[in-house]
Amino acid sequence: MSAAPDDPFYRNPVLDADWSDPDVIRVGDDFYLTASSFGRVPGLPLLHSRDLVNWTLVGHALGRLEPEGEFAVPRHDCGVWAPSLRHHDGRFWIFWGDPDQGIFQVNAPEIRGPWTRPHLVKAGKGLIDPCPLWDDETGEAYLVHAWAKSRSGVKNRLTGHRMHPHGTELLDEGKVIVDGDRLPGWFTLEGPKLYRHDGWFWILAPAGGVETGWQGAFRSRSFFGPYEEKVVLEQKDTDVNGPHQGGWVRTSSGEDWFLHFQQRGAYGRVVHLQPMRWGGGGGWPVIGDDGAPVAEHRRPDLPPQKPAAPATDDDFPGGRPGRQWQWTANPRDGWATHHSADGLRLTCVRTADAHDLRLLPNVLTQRLPGTPCTVEVDLRLDDGEPGARAGLVVLGDAYSWIGLERGPDGAVRLVHRFAESVAMGPPPTSSGQWGRERDATPPRPAPGGRARLRVDIGAGARCRFSYDTGDDTREGAGEGFCPSGQVFAATPWRWVGALLGLVALAPTGQGHAGTATFTQFRIRIQEKRADR
């Protein structure tokens, strides 16, 4: 949560949304952060701060996922896992693991690019969470990575490699440098971040699982080990479950800080900032309040900054979505039309998967705030044929959406539909069908083909949908927004929090199916924090 410039304290989380698996660096007086983006496009978000508390989204390092054909359809839990961000030899570098392909790398002279196309450093199944290190003392370069058991059959171990200083290839077959199976009580060791400090090689790596785990530190005089270990951050008697996986950064004044995530269900992995110091108990790092996460703390000793947070609201000037939006797969030409006015003009894309929004690549999404909020957007359904529809969706393993649909008689109706969790239903069929939507409430007239749509999101990510069509004859007219359907509890994907989305679609057929225009997208944050 952003802090006012005159407030000597900050409060966690400093990024109260799904910025999963964060990594952070300092370059001069600037701090930069990246996070997992999984199957969404553009990927590898780039955030900037001057005080480690107030962050803004300044761009993305990955314009499209590769191979492009594989990401032409949603792969919500695949793609970009746990990137590492570094600055070396005058360039920014990001390494990440795609669990189905291997370890990739991109680099750029400036944080805003231009970034190179992805380069495959090492091919293989289950290679995840890579982190490079250029050792200034010796001129050597190294890389450490973890393993995904779902692809490789292996987990709970960290493998180290010598790396070419150019960052383009690995110079050996790799060696297991930390085997979690040999450490009593350690499991699901992953997410390593590699550093050099005080003559030691340090690996900061979490274990124990995202919801219940802890942050470990490992050190050795030699990169290939042997390493000794210590738990340096865990929940203890706080309400911050599973505090782990993140990065260490040192300010220009010599203060040390650690940014990590906390798994919060439908909200995804929110980011906390912890004080850190070296030298506790034999030179180990001490994170938080003697190893427990802090809810609030004195701000870093840095120049005060104005409150800031990644953008959420959007007027879509020129028909272009802001940086906060991502498609659920690689986008195609024609999904959105650029024009001279405000408003997002989406094509009602024809699809055989109109029955299930989880299967659509043309859903434009942004992160669900981790705080109670109200989401609103204006929608107009323009020319088109029966079956063309568009709306506002809360998208996850289950989803619900409210919007407009053109009926068989050509009239536009207000519709509200939902689909249950895939995990609770039958498995996908050979055709990829997961199930079908059901009406949350009977369709209603929408005179003029317009509506303002609203979702009030309360504690526990419980969503109440409502609408205003401007129809004075509807039930509840004169009271503004009318409620629609039952409360819907947002659900995450396996590794990804629930998403807010805008979508326009139509059944299969020939020719143009119509367009939908979204304007004045707004998120109003409520004061009371969810689940606190």
Side-chain angles (χ1 to χ4, degrees):
M1 173 175 282
S2 300
D6 58 350
D7 187 345
F9 293 88
Y10 71 89
R11 291 156 192 86
N12 277 316
V14 292
L15 285 167
D16 202 357
D18 188 21
W19 301 96
S20 179
D21 312 317
D23 194 24
V24 62
I25 60 170
R26 177 178 67 88
V27 180
D29 294 328
D30 299 287
F31 299 93
Y32 300 103
L33 181 148
T34 191
S36 296
S37 51
F38 298 96
R40 302 193 301 277
V41 181
L44 290 174
L46 303 167
L47 288 82
H48 170 256
S49 177
R50 286 288 183 94
D51 64 0
L52 290 171
V53 174
N54 296 282
W55 293 88
T56 57
L57 179 64
V58 297
H60 292 81
L62 188 61
R64 299 181 72 83
L65 289 164
E66 297 186 2
E68 290 204 17
E70 291 191 15
F71 290 96
V73 296
R75 303 180 67 203
H76 296 287
D77 300 316
C78 301
V80 177
W81 283 22
S84 292
L85 174 63
R86 293 293 181 264
H87 189 260
H88 167 71
D89 197 24
R91 297 185 72 83
F92 291 88
W93 302 77
I94 301 178
F95 286 69
W96 76 93
D98 180 318
D100 299 302
Q101 299 182 71
I103 296 170
F104 286 91
Q105 168 258 103
V106 292
N107 60 86
E110 305 290 341
I111 196 68
R112 291 173 173 82
W115 289 85
T116 61
R117 287 192 62 175
H119 172 76
L120 185 61
V121 178
K122 181 181 180 181
K125 295 282 188 179
L127 307 179
I128 59 169
D129 308 350
C131 184
L133 171 70
W134 287 268
D135 188 348
D136 293 333
E137 295 181 17
T138 65
E140 297 287 327
Y142 304 95
L143 184 136
V144 63
H145 70 81
W147 295 86
K149 186 175 182 179
S150 59
R151 273 69 164 189
S152 65
V154 174
K155 73 168 188 174
N156 203 34
R157 65 187 61 172
L158 306 179
T159 296
H161 296 265
R162 292 174 56 243
M163 183 177 73
H164 194 290
H166 290 166
T168 55
E169 61 181 316
L170 304 179
L171 302 180
D172 55 35
E173 293 301 313
K175 174 186 176 182
V176 175
I177 57 176
V178 180
D179 187 345
D181 289 344
R182 295 179 177 271
L183 304 177
W186 287 70
F187 60 96
T188 317
L189 177 64
E190 57 188 356
K193 295 293 181 283
L194 180 60
Y195 305 95
R196 223 29 179 120
H197 174 68
D198 196 27
W200 296 86
F201 287 91
W202 290 90
I203 299 174
L204 301 182
V210 296
E211 294 185 353
T212 58
W214 59 89
Q215 178 67 39
F218 300 82
R219 69 180 182 184
S220 174
R221 294 295 185 182
S222 166
F223 171 70
F224 287 105
Y227 283 83
E228 51 185 323
E229 80 284 348
K230 183 180 176 66
V231 175
V232 292
L233 184 69
E234 55 187 328
Q235 181 172 353
K236 295 190 176 180
D237 61 354
T238 75
D239 65 351
V240 181
N241 59 294
H244 68 278
Q245 189 152 333
W248 161 48
V249 67
R250 173 167 287 178
T251 70
S252 56
S253 64
E255 288 186 342
D256 296 302
W257 297 87
F258 184 73
L259 283 146
H260 68 90
F261 76 70
Q262 174 199 9
Q263 173 70 37
R264 290 191 57 224
Y267 302 114
R269 300 173 180 182
V270 303
V271 178
H272 292 238
L273 175 67
Q274 302 295 337
M276 176 174 164
R277 60 182 175 86
W278 291 91
W284 292 90
V286 178
I287 301 177
D289 180 8
D290 196 24
V294 301
E296 65 177 30
H297 194 269
R298 175 189 54 81
R299 293 166 58 111
D301 183 20
L302 293 165
Q305 304 294 317
K306 294 180 179 179
T312 56
D313 294 355
D314 207 345
D315 288 318
F316 309 104
R320 293 173 172 83
R323 294 188 183 101
Q324 65 268 35
W325 297 96
Q326 297 170 291
W327 298 99
T328 47
N330 282 329
R332 303 170 199 167
D333 292 340
W335 285 357
T337 303
H338 297 167
H339 52 85
S340 59
D342 287 352
L344 178 68
R345 190 177 300 160
L346 294 183
T347 299
C348 294
V349 176
R350 292 188 179 278
T351 174
D353 293 321
H355 61 282
D356 195 330
L357 302 189
R358 292 166 294 204
L359 302 174
L360 300 186
N362 58 305
V363 185
L364 190 62
T365 68
Q366 64 168 282
R367 292 162 179 83
L368 185 74
T371 303
C373 64
T374 297
V375 182
E376 291 185 10
V377 68
D378 281 332
L379 169 62
R380 184 183 73 238
L381 189 62
D382 295 321
D383 58 329
E385 62 178 48
R389 68 199 76 159
L392 169 66
V393 59
V394 178
L395 181 67
D397 186 42
Y399 72 85
S400 185
W401 71 279
I402 190 168
L404 300 173
E405 180 179 62
R406 192 172 298 278
D409 58 357
V412 176
R413 306 170 299 171
L414 189 289
V415 296
H416 181 189
R417 298 189 175 120
F418 73 96
E420 296 182 69
S421 169
V422 176
M424 298 176 64
T429 67
S430 59
S431 63
Q433 294 187 357
W434 283 357
R436 293 188 176 272
E437 297 176 341
R438 290 189 284 165
D439 285 325
T441 189
R444 301 173 173 89
R450 296 172 179 266
R452 185 147 184 88
L453 311 173
R454 175 189 284 180
V455 185
D456 291 296
I457 305 173
R462 293 175 65 82
C463 304
R464 294 183 179 273
F465 289 79
S466 57
Y467 66 95
D468 184 356
T469 59
D471 178 13
D472 291 336
T473 65
R474 74 192 192 285
E475 182 181 352
E479 301 175 1
F481 283 86
C482 289
S484 180
Q486 302 299 315
V487 172
F488 170 77
T491 61
W493 309 92
R494 280 185 301 173
W495 321 123
V496 183
L499 300 165
L500 297 171
L502 305 175
V503 64
L505 67 151
T508 54
Q510 300 297 319
H512 181 64
T515 59
T517 301
F518 295 88
T519 55
Q520 297 185 42
F521 184 91
R522 298 288 184 268
I523 297 180
R524 299 196 304 275
I525 300 296
Q526 301 172 19
E527 289 186 5
K528 185 177 181 180
R529 183 170 285 179
D531 302 336
R532 298 290 179 192

